[in-house]
Amino acid sequence: QVQLVESGGGLVQAGGSLRLSCAASGRTFSTDPMGWFRQAQGKEQEFVAVISWSGGSIFYADSVKGRFTISRDNAKNMVYLQMNSLKPEDTAVYYCAGDPDGSWVDWGSYAYWGQGTQVTVSS
């Protein structure tokens, strides 16, 4: 099994940037697609971005397209989410997840995920 630990969250003003990191340990995750999801208070998990094992396929939610960038470094067992031009509506707990069995945008498809990191964007 793979264990994931997210970091890099925090409080930022609208228009600012944050870079989230997701560190993987356990079995190799280098062949697994990896995704980022978020959950705002009182809402369902929401797909944010996903990247294939090679990085050759990347998809974003429309709400973050052009502002967020997902990347991975398989040699370092890391996945990243660069978030620019942050908005108050980006406030949520952000989760890293891996190895979807089915839809890459469906939280329920993923085999493992981390504990999340809080991102708060003030207006």
Side-chain angles (χ1 to χ4, degrees), residues 1 5 16 20 35 41 43 55 57 60 69 73 75 88-89 93 97 105 109 114:
Q1 186 62 298
V5 178
L20 304 184
Q41 192 170 7
K43 296 188 177 180
S57 293
Y60 296 99
T69 302
D73 185 336
E89 51 264 44
V93 178
V105 303
S109 293

Side-chain angles (χ1 to χ4, degrees), residues 52-111:
S52 64
W53 70 271
S54 67
S57 293
I58 292 175
F59 301 99
Y60 296 99
D62 287 343
S63 58
V64 307
K65 202 172 295 182
R67 300 188 297 121
F68 290 11
T69 302
I70 188 172
S71 61
R72 67 190 296 166
D73 185 336
N74 290 335
K76 295 182 178 180
N77 288 341
M78 297 292 295
V79 181
Y80 306 99
L81 186 68
Q82 177 67 43
M83 306 187 296
N84 299 328
S85 302
L86 283 161
K87 304 175 181 180
E89 51 264 44
D90 295 318
T91 295
V93 178
Y94 283 72
Y95 298 89
C96 178
D99 194 18
D101 180 16
S103 170
W104 286 13
V105 303
D106 182 2
W107 169 263
S109 293
Y110 284 73

